[in-house]
Amino acid sequence: MQWGDNDPFELEAMVALRRDLHAHPELGFEEVRTSAIVADKLAEAGIDVHRGLGGTGIVGTLKIGEGTRRIALRADMDALAMPELAERPYRSETANTMHACGHDGHTVMLLAAARHLARSRNFSGTVHFIFQPAEEGRGGAKAMIEDGFFDLFPVDAVYGLHNMPGLAVDEMAVVAGPQLASSDSWTVTFSGTGTHGAKPHLGRDAVTAAGHFLAALHTIVARVVDPLQPAVVSACALQAGDFKALNVIPDQVRIGGTARAYSPIVRDQLEAEIGVIAQGVAATFGIAAHYVFERRIPPVVNAADATMHALRAAKAVSGRPVVENFPPSTAGDDFAEFSARVPGAYVWLGNGPAVDGALHHNSRYDFNDDAILTGARFWTALVEQELRQ
């Protein structure tokens, strides 16, 4: 489709591309097709392209005028390992893989803005368009940084955007401070002495110990963490025994889960207290406990100055008042890896009503194409305002 004054963001073509990406989803670090399309569309618009950063990551660079300020805009590209159950013409053609979080839409919105900015050239400075792989828990942002992102592309600020069902497609939320929680993983392995289920006194029961641990685990948030500080500790996986051997008390029980916090102090508390409870329960039952806490993603905390720029841009393009008191989410996003190193802001764009209750990571979720225009206009306004000629 040709660029025209009546369609500055190539909306018809971008909707078609979004649906094509939806039909051909790719998991983290496997976005070969997606990144190739992005790179080609950027290069076609005259934007410098760096391919393969962090594996399948793409960075497009557009420098206009003599301005010295440099900003980065990030979109994620990966899909999730889950089936798509809704019937739609562009349903996923890849088994057990779907865009259930809207990264197909994020990719297209940033691409539409990049191509428009390359045409309009209405700013002075440098913009780096980050198309990140593997946001869904696989460490794509960290991989790009370890591959030299900040050395190759020094920036003064970084911005991220994510769709949000429940907000209208022309509605945005921009808030300073905590936006998303840290996302950490933990495992505890209790090792006892297995025995006959009819003779528990001859062993050391790791199963019963695990039950006490699970009950005590939830006292961390209820009784240890400051009640004014949000936190989550959840057990999400448990392995023990065999249902074909229900007369055997097993030697080991393995439990794993997630921990979420917004502040470094609470994050440290969660790590320490899970271990304290695990070792205490193990001592009570005369067994051993092996504890591992893996720090995966830091919290996303919006910097005041970057938030001010994002808020100004959102007010310029959204069709209704910008939400400035939107509550933080206990979900995580490795955009935090970028914004932990330079000032950043992460904003929300409405995705319309949650059709059939389909929120993020739901097998019937779909990105709302009507949000593409607002997202592309936001990115454009942000660049033109922050890098004003």
Side-chain angles (χ1 to χ4, degrees), residues 212-293:
H212 281 258
F213 168 79
L214 288 171
L217 186 68
H218 298 293
T219 65
I220 296 174
V221 174
R223 288 295 178 267
V224 177
V225 175
D226 182 339
L228 298 180
Q229 293 289 334
V232 175
V233 178
S234 292
C236 303
L238 189 151
Q239 295 175 340
D242 192 323
F243 279 86
K244 295 179 181 178
L246 295 180
N247 58 352
V248 176
I249 297 175
D251 292 280
Q252 283 192 341
V253 178
R254 188 168 183 242
I255 303 172
T258 188
R260 309 287 172 114
Y262 296 106
S263 78
I265 292 175
V266 175
R267 197 181 189 191
D268 290 343
Q269 278 186 302
L270 300 184
E271 179 175 2
E273 291 298 325
I274 295 170
V276 166
I277 291 175
Q279 296 300 336
V281 168
T284 299
F285 285 87
I287 63 175
H290 178 68
Y291 170 52
V292 175
F293 190 95

Side-chain angles (χ1 to χ4, degrees), residues 80 159 186 206 334:
L80 285 151
Y159 297 90
W186 56 266
D334 67 355

Side-chain angles (χ1 to χ4, degrees), residues 62-283:
L62 185 60
K63 186 180 188 306
I64 303 295
E66 301 301 320
T68 58
R69 186 162 175 80
R70 307 152 301 182
I71 63 174
L73 317 179
R74 189 217 70 166
D76 35 20
M77 301 187 294
D78 57 322
L80 285 151
M82 56 185 289
E84 181 164 13
L85 299 184
E87 292 294 336
R88 47 182 63 105
Y90 47 90
R91 179 179 173 175
S92 172
E93 297 177 12
T94 306
N96 202 47
T97 307
M98 77 166 286
H99 273 295
C101 204
H103 297 186
D104 47 349
H106 299 169
T107 298
V108 166
M109 287 188 288
L110 185 57
L111 187 59
R115 289 172 61 92
H116 174 62
L117 286 163
R119 175 82 173 202
S120 62
R121 303 172 67 86
N122 188 29
F123 67 94
S124 181
T126 301
V127 188
H128 299 298
F129 304 99
I130 305 171
F131 293 87
Q132 182 202 310
E135 184 278 326
E136 295 289 0
R138 298 190 177 195
K142 189 175 182 180
M144 293 187 82
I145 292 168
E146 290 177 345
D147 215 3
F149 173 81
F150 284 106
D151 296 324
L152 295 167
F153 311 103
V155 295
D156 301 302
V158 62
Y159 297 90
L161 177 153
H162 203 290
N163 75 90
M164 178 54 69
L167 296 177
V169 294
D170 59 350
E171 187 174 22
M172 297 190 71
V174 183
V175 185
Q179 297 304 298
L180 294 159
S182 58
S183 178
D184 301 322
S185 300
W186 56 266
T187 59
V188 174
T189 302
F190 291 110
S191 298
T193 302
T195 186
H196 198 297
K199 301 176 182 180
H201 62 292
L202 298 179
R204 294 289 184 176
D205 189 353
V207 175
T208 300
H212 281 258
F213 168 79
L214 288 171
L217 186 68
H218 298 293
T219 65
I220 296 174
V221 174
R223 288 295 178 267
V224 177
V225 175
D226 182 339
L228 298 180
Q229 293 289 334
V232 175
V233 178
S234 292
C236 303
L238 189 151
Q239 295 175 340
D242 192 323
F243 279 86
K244 295 179 181 178
L246 295 180
N247 58 352
V248 176
I249 297 175
D251 292 280
Q252 283 192 341
V253 178
R254 188 168 183 242
I255 303 172
T258 188
R260 309 287 172 114
Y262 296 106
S263 78
I265 292 175
V266 175
R267 197 181 189 191
D268 290 343
Q269 278 186 302
L270 300 184
E271 179 175 2
E273 291 298 325
I274 295 170
V276 166
I277 291 175
Q279 296 300 336
V281 168

